[in-house]
Amino acid sequence: EKAVLKITADMKMLDNAKRHLQRTITTLKRLHMLVHAVEELRIVKTKSDYAAASQLVQAIRILSIHFQQYQAKVAPLQKLAQTVHELQTELLHQIVQGFRRSALGIERASLME
């Protein structure tokens, strides 16, 4: 009976370790996807590919949810969040400028800058 209890205790411990390992791997995969999406957003921003940028911003928002609770404590996540904010601000500026150029013409739009 003691042997069975020891074996089941060991099995529970191994099961917990497996669960933690799976969560860690999932978190690392999400972090990798987030960093990759931010880098891709940086690239498509320079190409003014707004359709791709829109999809990347959505993916970044979804992935960022998983790391919100750690952003205040983990400096690299703070820096990544700041980078995302800066890229989104730059994209917004580009889009507004594009609309102004379309609606007002290049000369009048440049006067509004």
Side-chain angles (χ1 to χ4, degrees):
E1 188 176 321
K2 288 182 182 181
V4 171
L5 290 175
K6 183 173 179 0
I7 290 171
T8 56
D10 289 344
M11 288 173 63
K12 285 181 184 179
M13 185 177 69
L14 288 171
D15 190 43
N16 285 335
K18 177 185 171 188
R19 189 175 311 114
H20 291 300
L21 184 60
Q22 286 173 330
R23 287 182 185 163
T24 301
I25 290 170
T26 300
T27 301
L28 286 172
K29 285 180 180 180
R30 286 178 179 152
L31 181 59
H32 175 74
M33 288 188 292
L34 178 61
V35 170
H36 182 71
V38 171
E39 290 305 314
E40 284 294 311
L41 183 60
R42 187 184 320 269
I43 292 168
V44 298
K45 181 187 74 74
T46 61
K47 297 177 182 178
S48 299
D49 184 356
Y50 301 123
S54 172
Q55 292 174 351
L56 287 167
V57 167
Q58 185 64 26
I60 289 169
R61 285 184 180 166
I62 291 169
L63 290 167
S64 294
I65 291 170
H66 299 287
F67 298 101
Q68 280 180 337
Q69 63 186 353
Y70 306 111
Q71 282 182 5
K73 301 173 188 173
V74 181
L77 287 177
Q78 287 175 344
K79 185 172 172 32
L80 190 61
Q82 181 63 32
T83 301
V84 168
H85 178 73
E86 290 168 2
L87 287 169
Q88 288 177 336
T89 302
E90 291 168 9
L91 273 168
L92 177 63
H93 181 70
Q94 281 181 346
I95 292 168
V96 169
Q97 286 301 97
F99 280 126
R100 285 182 182 160
R101 287 183 185 131
S102 295
L104 303 174
I106 295 173
E107 290 178 22
R108 288 181 64 196
S110 62
L111 293 174
M112 296 183 78
E113 290 181 1

